Amino acid sequence: MTGEESAESAAGVGTDRPLVRSLRLGLDAPRTGPLQAALALASAPLDWLDAHRRGFLHGDEEALLTDRLHARRRHGLLVGRYAAKCALAALRPDLDPRVLAIRPGVLEQPVLSGLGIGNVGISLSHAGAVAVALAFPEACPMGVDLERIRPDNVALLTRQTTADERRLLADHLGGPEAERLTRLWCLKEALSKALRCGLTVPLDLLAVGRVEAGPTGLGVTFAHFAQYRGLSLATGDLAAALVLPRPPAVTLAIDAAEWAAFREALAEAAARETAA
Ligand SMILES: CC(C)(COP(=O)(O)OP(=O)(O)OC[C@H]1O[C@@H](n2cnc3c(N)ncnc32)[C@H](O)[C@@H]1OP(=O)(O)O)[C@@H](O)C(=O)NCCC(=O)NCCS
């Protein structure tokens, strides 16, 4: 991938080729004026990522791929960076992805640097061969998470959520319990990334407070972080969440057709993993 190529151009047919979908997000923010962010989904086999990594990695990112890494971690690092570069390509198609480096910060958070990129933040999450990433203006902190929905995680996730949260989601959402619990988990983890604390805080601090209508389906607010909202998405056996400041600080504008296409891409990514 070069900076000039659109992220979608890498999408191909068949599971040995990457699947990519990106989505631009309009952020109407009265304090700063209009802002833009981009969300990208990528699914790619490790072999493909390894063969093509010199087209999208910065030298400092290449240096993170030491021989000591387990294949699973190598895959996560590569597909996460690839999704992030796709999000960056959607936001700044004029920049070559190889001049942009995403390095771990002191809290292991992704820190983006590179000539011409300015104050752009990255949030990313990987699950097997699939990753989601957000490129957002630092003026508007955001976080993203992606998890696989597994029925055998129900007992564990039940212990990590409050009875109020579980009741709240059950009141608004049908579907299997594993999906509701995983959606809750994703929302909390995405909030923890927006806050940069990760899951090092008592999980109750990240609790979901209310369900509210969102432009994209299930939207929530948080019990202790009133300035943020979360958007939840689940399809196939993948759940994802996006967290960002809520109105009046930021009003999100998403094209409905583009959101539907993003959702379809997530379903396709889930199906590929199941088939693999
Ligand atoms: C952040 C965290 C919730 C991610 O959980 P996960 O389910 O294992 O992994 P995900 O795939 O969803 O996300 C991983 C990505 O989160 C990002 N991340 C890691 N720590 C982060 C933080 N503190 N804030 C924001 N994002 C963070 C990274 O980009 C990471 O991917 P990468 O290592 O390939 O770059 C978890 O790792 C955590 O709680 N970390 C806290 C670690 C910490 O505070 N360390 C302090 C060391 S001094």
Side-chain angles (χ1 to χ4, degrees), residues 87-107:
L88 285 163
L91 197 62
R92 292 292 308 271
D94 55 315
L95 295 179
D96 184 330
R98 294 165 296 188
V99 305
L100 304 173
I102 302 163
R103 303 179 183 87
V106 297
L107 299 175

PDB file of all heavy atoms in Angstrom, residues 87-107:
ATOM      1  N   ALA A  87      -6.563   3.421   8.195  1.00  0.00           N
ATOM      2  CA  ALA A  87      -7.326   4.549   8.754  1.00  0.00           C
ATOM      3  C   ALA A  87      -6.623   5.862   8.426  1.00  0.00           C
ATOM      4  O   ALA A  87      -7.256   6.848   8.031  1.00  0.00           O
ATOM      5  CB  ALA A  87      -7.481   4.381  10.273  1.00  0.00           C
ATOM      6  N   LEU A  88      -5.295   5.869   8.554  1.00  0.00           N
ATOM      7  CA  LEU A  88      -4.534   7.083   8.241  1.00  0.00           C
ATOM      8  C   LEU A  88      -4.636   7.434   6.757  1.00  0.00           C
ATOM      9  O   LEU A  88      -4.724   8.606   6.389  1.00  0.00           O
ATOM     10  CB  LEU A  88      -3.063   6.903   8.647  1.00  0.00           C
ATOM     11  CG  LEU A  88      -2.829   6.984  10.158  1.00  0.00           C
ATOM     12  CD1 LEU A  88      -1.473   6.398  10.525  1.00  0.00           C
ATOM     13  CD2 LEU A  88      -2.939   8.423  10.641  1.00  0.00           C
ATOM     14  N   ALA A  89      -4.652   6.399   5.904  1.00  0.00           N
ATOM     15  CA  ALA A  89      -4.777   6.654   4.452  1.00  0.00           C
ATOM     16  C   ALA A  89      -6.134   7.273   4.141  1.00  0.00           C
ATOM     17  O   ALA A  89      -6.252   8.108   3.235  1.00  0.00           O
ATOM     18  CB  ALA A  89      -4.578   5.360   3.673  1.00  0.00           C
ATOM     19  N   ALA A  90      -7.173   6.865   4.893  1.00  0.00           N
ATOM     20  CA  ALA A  90      -8.503   7.455   4.671  1.00  0.00           C
ATOM     21  C   ALA A  90      -8.532   8.912   5.125  1.00  0.00           C
ATOM     22  O   ALA A  90      -9.212   9.743   4.529  1.00  0.00           O
ATOM     23  CB  ALA A  90      -9.559   6.643   5.421  1.00  0.00           C
ATOM     24  N   LEU A  91      -7.772   9.190   6.189  1.00  0.00           N
ATOM     25  CA  LEU A  91      -7.757  10.553   6.737  1.00  0.00           C
ATOM     26  C   LEU A  91      -6.800  11.451   5.972  1.00  0.00           C
ATOM     27  O   LEU A  91      -7.104  12.608   5.697  1.00  0.00           O
ATOM     28  CB  LEU A  91      -7.332  10.464   8.209  1.00  0.00           C
ATOM     29  CG  LEU A  91      -7.616  11.650   9.104  1.00  0.00           C
ATOM     30  CD1 LEU A  91      -9.110  11.913   9.195  1.00  0.00           C
ATOM     31  CD2 LEU A  91      -7.038  11.389  10.502  1.00  0.00           C
ATOM     32  N   ARG A  92      -5.630  10.914   5.637  1.00  0.00           N
ATOM     33  CA  ARG A  92      -4.587  11.693   4.969  1.00  0.00           C
ATOM     34  C   ARG A  92      -4.014  10.896   3.794  1.00  0.00           C
ATOM     35  O   ARG A  92      -2.897  10.351   3.869  1.00  0.00           O
ATOM     36  CB  ARG A  92      -3.469  12.029   5.981  1.00  0.00           C
ATOM     37  CG  ARG A  92      -3.881  12.995   7.080  1.00  0.00           C
ATOM     38  CD  ARG A  92      -4.147  14.399   6.532  1.00  0.00           C
ATOM     39  NE  ARG A  92      -3.027  14.880   5.743  1.00  0.00           N
ATOM     40  CZ  ARG A  92      -1.989  15.556   6.261  1.00  0.00           C
ATOM     41  NH1 ARG A  92      -1.974  15.861   7.528  1.00  0.00           N
ATOM     42  NH2 ARG A  92      -0.992  15.947   5.486  1.00  0.00           N
ATOM     43  N   PRO A  93      -4.778  10.819   2.691  1.00  0.00           N
ATOM     44  CA  PRO A  93      -4.316  10.022   1.546  1.00  0.00           C
ATOM     45  C   PRO A  93      -3.037  10.565   0.919  1.00  0.00           C
ATOM     46  O   PRO A  93      -2.382   9.865   0.147  1.00  0.00           O
ATOM     47  CB  PRO A  93      -5.490  10.099   0.559  1.00  0.00           C
ATOM     48  CG  PRO A  93      -6.386  11.168   1.043  1.00  0.00           C
ATOM     49  CD  PRO A  93      -6.108  11.410   2.481  1.00  0.00           C
ATOM     50  N   ASP A  94      -2.663  11.791   1.272  1.00  0.00           N
ATOM     51  CA  ASP A  94      -1.455  12.392   0.696  1.00  0.00           C
ATOM     52  C   ASP A  94      -0.180  11.868   1.350  1.00  0.00           C
ATOM     53  O   ASP A  94       0.914  12.085   0.829  1.00  0.00           O
ATOM     54  CB  ASP A  94      -1.513  13.924   0.861  1.00  0.00           C
ATOM     55  CG  ASP A  94      -1.725  14.346   2.314  1.00  0.00           C
ATOM     56  OD1 ASP A  94      -2.593  13.751   2.995  1.00  0.00           O
ATOM     57  OD2 ASP A  94      -1.004  15.239   2.789  1.00  0.00           O
ATOM     58  N   LEU A  95      -0.274  11.182   2.489  1.00  0.00           N
ATOM     59  CA  LEU A  95       0.942  10.767   3.213  1.00  0.00           C
ATOM     60  C   LEU A  95       1.297   9.309   2.940  1.00  0.00           C
ATOM     61  O   LEU A  95       0.431   8.437   2.893  1.00  0.00           O
ATOM     62  CB  LEU A  95       0.758  10.964   4.722  1.00  0.00           C
ATOM     63  CG  LEU A  95       0.591  12.421   5.194  1.00  0.00           C
ATOM     64  CD1 LEU A  95       0.383  12.458   6.701  1.00  0.00           C
ATOM     65  CD2 LEU A  95       1.800  13.271   4.800  1.00  0.00           C
ATOM     66  N   ASP A  96       2.576   9.049   2.782  1.00  0.00           N
ATOM     67  CA  ASP A  96       3.081   7.686   2.604  1.00  0.00           C
ATOM     68  C   ASP A  96       3.038   6.978   3.966  1.00  0.00           C
ATOM     69  O   ASP A  96       3.610   7.491   4.934  1.00  0.00           O
ATOM     70  CB  ASP A  96       4.534   7.772   2.090  1.00  0.00           C
ATOM     71  CG  ASP A  96       5.111   6.396   1.777  1.00  0.00           C
ATOM     72  OD1 ASP A  96       4.710   5.408   2.416  1.00  0.00           O
ATOM     73  OD2 ASP A  96       5.991   6.340   0.899  1.00  0.00           O
ATOM     74  N   PRO A  97       2.378   5.823   4.058  1.00  0.00           N
ATOM     75  CA  PRO A  97       2.271   5.154   5.367  1.00  0.00           C
ATOM     76  C   PRO A  97       3.636   4.810   5.973  1.00  0.00           C
ATOM     77  O   PRO A  97       3.767   4.687   7.195  1.00  0.00           O
ATOM     78  CB  PRO A  97       1.468   3.889   5.059  1.00  0.00           C
ATOM     79  CG  PRO A  97       1.535   3.704   3.586  1.00  0.00           C
ATOM     80  CD  PRO A  97       1.709   5.060   2.982  1.00  0.00           C
ATOM     81  N   ARG A  98       4.659   4.680   5.126  1.00  0.00           N
ATOM     82  CA  ARG A  98       5.989   4.277   5.625  1.00  0.00           C
ATOM     83  C   ARG A  98       6.730   5.396   6.341  1.00  0.00           C
ATOM     84  O   ARG A  98       7.741   5.148   6.988  1.00  0.00           O
ATOM     85  CB  ARG A  98       6.831   3.747   4.458  1.00  0.00           C
ATOM     86  CG  ARG A  98       6.250   2.455   3.885  1.00  0.00           C
ATOM     87  CD  ARG A  98       6.836   2.135   2.542  1.00  0.00           C
ATOM     88  NE  ARG A  98       6.487   3.164   1.571  1.00  0.00           N
ATOM     89  CZ  ARG A  98       6.738   3.077   0.276  1.00  0.00           C
ATOM     90  NH1 ARG A  98       7.329   2.024  -0.212  1.00  0.00           N
ATOM     91  NH2 ARG A  98       6.382   4.052  -0.547  1.00  0.00           N
ATOM     92  N   VAL A  99       6.226   6.632   6.235  1.00  0.00           N
ATOM     93  CA  VAL A  99       6.874   7.719   6.994  1.00  0.00           C
ATOM     94  C   VAL A  99       6.157   7.946   8.319  1.00  0.00           C
ATOM     95  O   VAL A  99       6.559   8.799   9.105  1.00  0.00           O
ATOM     96  CB  VAL A  99       6.954   9.048   6.188  1.00  0.00           C
ATOM     97  CG1 VAL A  99       7.649   8.832   4.859  1.00  0.00           C
ATOM     98  CG2 VAL A  99       5.581   9.690   6.010  1.00  0.00           C
ATOM     99  N   LEU A 100       5.102   7.188   8.561  1.00  0.00           N
ATOM    100  CA  LEU A 100       4.336   7.328   9.805  1.00  0.00           C
ATOM    101  C   LEU A 100       4.663   6.149  10.720  1.00  0.00           C
ATOM    102  O   LEU A 100       4.551   4.997  10.301  1.00  0.00           O
ATOM    103  CB  LEU A 100       2.836   7.355   9.505  1.00  0.00           C
ATOM    104  CG  LEU A 100       2.382   8.441   8.521  1.00  0.00           C
ATOM    105  CD1 LEU A 100       0.910   8.270   8.177  1.00  0.00           C
ATOM    106  CD2 LEU A 100       2.645   9.835   9.095  1.00  0.00           C
ATOM    107  N   ALA A 101       5.076   6.453  11.946  1.00  0.00           N
ATOM    108  CA  ALA A 101       5.436   5.370  12.883  1.00  0.00           C
ATOM    109  C   ALA A 101       4.469   5.353  14.051  1.00  0.00           C
ATOM    110  O   ALA A 101       4.173   6.398  14.638  1.00  0.00           O
ATOM    111  CB  ALA A 101       6.857   5.586  13.390  1.00  0.00           C
ATOM    112  N   ILE A 102       3.993   4.159  14.386  1.00  0.00           N
ATOM    113  CA  ILE A 102       3.161   3.999  15.585  1.00  0.00           C
ATOM    114  C   ILE A 102       3.980   3.179  16.579  1.00  0.00           C
ATOM    115  O   ILE A 102       4.194   1.978  16.393  1.00  0.00           O
ATOM    116  CB  ILE A 102       1.828   3.297  15.258  1.00  0.00           C
ATOM    117  CG1 ILE A 102       1.066   4.098  14.190  1.00  0.00           C
ATOM    118  CG2 ILE A 102       0.979   3.132  16.509  1.00  0.00           C
ATOM    119  CD1 ILE A 102      -0.033   3.308  13.502  1.00  0.00           C
ATOM    120  N   ARG A 103       4.474   3.867  17.604  1.00  0.00           N
ATOM    121  CA  ARG A 103       5.334   3.214  18.593  1.00  0.00           C
ATOM    122  C   ARG A 103       4.584   3.115  19.910  1.00  0.00           C
ATOM    123  O   ARG A 103       3.709   3.932  20.189  1.00  0.00           O
ATOM    124  CB  ARG A 103       6.596   4.048  18.835  1.00  0.00           C
ATOM    125  CG  ARG A 103       7.428   4.343  17.605  1.00  0.00           C
ATOM    126  CD  ARG A 103       8.629   5.191  18.019  1.00  0.00           C
ATOM    127  NE  ARG A 103       9.445   5.579  16.887  1.00  0.00           N
ATOM    128  CZ  ARG A 103       9.227   6.665  16.147  1.00  0.00           C
ATOM    129  NH1 ARG A 103       8.211   7.466  16.408  1.00  0.00           N
ATOM    130  NH2 ARG A 103      10.026   6.951  15.142  1.00  0.00           N
ATOM    131  N   PRO A 104       4.949   2.140  20.749  1.00  0.00           N
ATOM    132  CA  PRO A 104       4.295   2.073  22.067  1.00  0.00           C
ATOM    133  C   PRO A 104       4.790   3.194  22.976  1.00  0.00           C
ATOM    134  O   PRO A 104       5.992   3.445  23.052  1.00  0.00           O
ATOM    135  CB  PRO A 104       4.707   0.700  22.612  1.00  0.00           C
ATOM    136  CG  PRO A 104       5.830   0.231  21.757  1.00  0.00           C
ATOM    137  CD  PRO A 104       5.875   1.044  20.500  1.00  0.00           C
ATOM    138  N   GLY A 105       3.856   3.880  23.644  1.00  0.00           N
ATOM    139  CA  GLY A 105       4.225   4.901  24.630  1.00  0.00           C
ATOM    140  C   GLY A 105       4.516   4.268  25.984  1.00  0.00           C
ATOM    141  O   GLY A 105       4.512   3.034  26.111  1.00  0.00           O
ATOM    142  N   VAL A 106       4.736   5.075  27.004  1.00  0.00           N
ATOM    143  CA  VAL A 106       5.141   4.538  28.309  1.00  0.00           C
ATOM    144  C   VAL A 106       4.022   3.735  28.980  1.00  0.00           C
ATOM    145  O   VAL A 106       4.280   2.928  29.873  1.00  0.00           O
ATOM    146  CB  VAL A 106       5.646   5.656  29.259  1.00  0.00           C
ATOM    147  CG1 VAL A 106       6.888   6.329  28.699  1.00  0.00           C
ATOM    148  CG2 VAL A 106       4.558   6.677  29.558  1.00  0.00           C
ATOM    149  N   LEU A 107       2.782   3.935  28.555  1.00  0.00           N
ATOM    150  CA  LEU A 107       1.672   3.121  29.085  1.00  0.00           C
ATOM    151  C   LEU A 107       1.256   2.063  28.058  1.00  0.00           C
ATOM    152  O   LEU A 107       0.146   1.540  28.116  1.00  0.00           O
ATOM    153  CB  LEU A 107       0.481   4.021  29.435  1.00  0.00           C
ATOM    154  CG  LEU A 107       0.750   5.076  30.508  1.00  0.00           C
ATOM    155  CD1 LEU A 107      -0.466   5.984  30.674  1.00  0.00           C
ATOM    156  CD2 LEU A 107       1.112   4.419  31.842  1.00  0.00           C
TER     157      LEU A 107
END
